[in-house]
Amino acid sequence: QVQLGESGGGSVQAGDSLRLSCAASGGTLSTLGVAWWRRQPGKEQDFVAVVPRNGAGAIDYDDSVKGRFTISRDNANNAVYLQMNNLKPEDTAVYVCAATTVTESVNYSARGWYRYWGSGTRVTVSS
């Protein structure tokens, strides 16, 4: 059973940067598609970014974070990162890491594809 854990959240000012980490135990992230989602106050959980496993599609981002956020893998440390630059108050949310076992390209913004979920790390951006 894969267990995911997030870290790196915090309270920052608008324009600052943070790097979130997703670490796994019980499995190897390089064999899984890994995504970041976020739960904003009063809203549904939304897709942020995905890095598919090899052969299962391309890295993708929600339009709201394109050009500011970067998702990447660190296979040596069995981790996936979300580098967040130029943070805005509307980025305030609990950020959750999720992993999927799919082996072909799918609509990664659909929750149903993800088998494993972390509990999240909170990011607060003040203006």
Side-chain angles (χ1 to χ4, degrees):
Q1 180 76 5
V2 176
Q3 293 185 316
L4 303 176
E6 303 90 339
S7 61
S11 296
V12 297
Q13 297 291 316
D16 286 350
S17 298
L18 280 174
R19 189 181 77 162
L20 305 183
S21 299
C22 173
S25 60
T28 303
L29 287 182
S30 62
T31 67
L32 302 170
V34 181
W36 286 95
W37 291 69
R38 63 186 180 187
R39 292 195 301 266
Q40 296 171 300
K43 295 185 179 181
E44 297 286 326
Q45 187 161 278
D46 294 324
F47 169 80
V48 175
V50 64
V51 54
R53 61 173 289 170
N54 284 343
I59 286 175
D60 197 19
Y61 300 91
D62 182 76
D63 286 346
S64 65
V65 306
K66 280 182 180 176
R68 299 188 298 123
F69 290 11
T70 303
I71 190 170
S72 62
R73 291 186 182 274
D74 180 353
N75 292 336
N77 290 301
N78 200 24
V80 169
Y81 305 121
L82 185 68
Q83 177 67 43
M84 307 187 297
N85 297 330
N86 190 24
L87 282 161
K88 303 177 180 180
E90 52 264 42
D91 294 320
T92 294
V94 174
Y95 284 74
V96 180
C97 175
T100 174
T101 58
V102 298
T103 57
E104 60 184 13
S105 183
V106 297
N107 176 12
Y108 287 106
S109 63
R111 285 177 51 90
W113 291 113
Y114 296 89
R115 182 174 180 180
Y116 307 108
W117 293 85
S119 58
T121 184
R122 184 174 299 277
V123 173
T124 302
V125 185
S126 302
S127 58

